[in-house]
Amino acid sequence: MSEENPAEGDHRRASIVTALREGVRRVDDLARACGVSTMTIRRDLRVLEQRNEIRRVRGGAVPVDAWTFGHRRGRSTAAKDVIAAKLRPLLPDRGGVGFDGSTTVHSLARLLKERPANGLTAVTTGFETFHELSGTPGCRAYATGGTADLHTGSLVGPLAEVTLRQFALHTCFLSATCLDDSIGSTEFTADEAAVKRALTAVSRRTVLAVDFSKLGRSAVAKCLSLDEIDILVTDLDPLDERLDPYRGLVDLL
């Protein structure tokens, strides 16, 4: 086997990063796009991860900037606006609610700022969401504290979980990395899954909001089973056949 020209390897790895940023995630798809074996792609991914250019996930990889809040907030904005509009009527006029640190739920916080509810207390694991809520008239906002998850930007860890146990909430609003009808919701990190379970544990009702691209997929860390989710909100019409696997298991909106 001839030794690879270093320039060829550098060019291919640059192409891999470009493909990841364009939405190609799986090793098999990257191999086809680059015209090399999956073994070569896996070696390239190890090199790119060591350079802190990508993060390997189950079955593939994502670019580092795909984890940042600003990058994620700029993706699927139309879907997030549709979801936020569906979520707004689920907010109680008074009482306590929980918000995770996702960009999808952050869209609800922005909408609440435009149409505030009086007497609402909100606790969140998201720094950006806390910033939105703290400027909302009629809303008392709390941030949990904790350690920032480098992958998601959410506040996680024992301090966040202890803080959440001090609350008794009416509804928590969560998103997920992926949702599968047999596995339930999953996250990229175990810490993120743990803090979302903690939010669910102190809430009478759990609302999960995801855009349809996350359906039928799974990430590495299990979070909630479907019987722990009361309402599933997506950007699809509730009668859309793509929601059939979840029909009868959760309320669809």
Side-chain angles (χ1 to χ4, degrees):
M1 180 182 296
S2 60
E3 187 174 344
E4 181 179 66
N5 184 322
E8 292 179 0
D10 288 341
H11 177 75
R12 185 180 60 252
R13 285 186 281 272
S15 297
I16 289 172
V17 173
T18 298
L20 291 172
R21 286 177 175 154
E22 292 174 348
V24 181
R25 297 287 186 258
R26 298 187 59 80
V27 168
D28 291 348
D29 295 332
L30 291 167
R32 281 192 292 271
C34 295
V36 295
S37 69
T38 57
M39 184 178 298
T40 296
I41 292 295
R42 289 192 175 94
R43 285 198 298 264
D44 286 338
L45 293 179
R46 284 196 292 271
V47 172
L48 290 168
E49 188 169 47
Q50 290 169 357
R51 295 177 181 174
N52 201 36
E53 294 185 52
I54 62 101
R55 291 287 182 271
R56 285 184 291 173
V57 297
R58 182 180 181 182
V62 295
V64 166
D65 58 9
W67 298 90
T68 65
F69 187 89
H71 182 85
R72 290 183 288 118
R73 184 171 57 186
R75 298 179 62 187
S76 305
T77 54
K80 290 170 185 174
D81 289 343
V82 170
I83 291 171
K86 290 183 176 184
L87 292 175
R88 180 63 183 84
L90 299 178
L91 277 167
D93 291 330
R94 304 181 66 84
V97 295
F99 292 75
D100 72 5
S102 66
T103 57
T104 300
V105 172
H106 179 266
S107 297
L108 172 61
R110 288 193 293 108
L111 187 59
L112 178 61
K113 196 171 184 178
E114 297 171 5
R115 293 185 291 168
N118 293 323
L120 195 66
T121 296
V123 57
T124 180
T125 60
F127 179 80
E128 290 83 0
T129 300
F130 172 73
H131 179 73
E132 290 287 348
L133 294 170
S134 61
T136 299
C139 178
R140 175 174 288 184
Y142 293 90
T144 58
T147 302
D149 188 317
L150 296 179
H151 297 303
T152 65
S154 296
L155 297 169
V156 298
L159 179 58
E161 294 175 40
V162 167
T163 301
L164 287 170
R165 287 199 289 269
Q166 311 311 307
F167 291 88
L169 305 177
H170 179 281
T171 302
C172 67
F173 296 89
L174 312 175
S175 188
T177 299
C178 299
L179 180 66
D180 180 81
D181 61 296
S182 59
I183 299 174
S185 70
T186 50
E187 302 296 335
F188 276 133
T189 70
D191 286 342
E192 181 75 5
V195 80
K196 290 185 180 184
R197 286 194 297 268
L199 263 169
T200 300
V202 298
S203 303
R204 294 202 300 270
R205 181 175 68 169
T206 297
V207 178
L208 186 73
V210 295
D211 71 74
F212 81 92
S213 69
K214 298 181 177 182
L215 300 178
R217 299 169 51 199
S218 63
V220 296
K222 288 185 177 181
C223 187
L224 301 178
S225 60
L226 287 180
D227 60 9
E228 295 176 293
I229 301 166
D230 297 295
I231 304 174
L232 173 60
V233 181
T234 74
D235 51 325
L236 300 174
D237 184 290
L239 299 178
D240 193 296
E241 64 182 11
R242 285 170 287 186
L243 293 172
D244 286 350
Y246 310 92
R247 208 173 304 283
L249 301 175
V250 294
D251 290 337
L252 299 173
L253 187 64

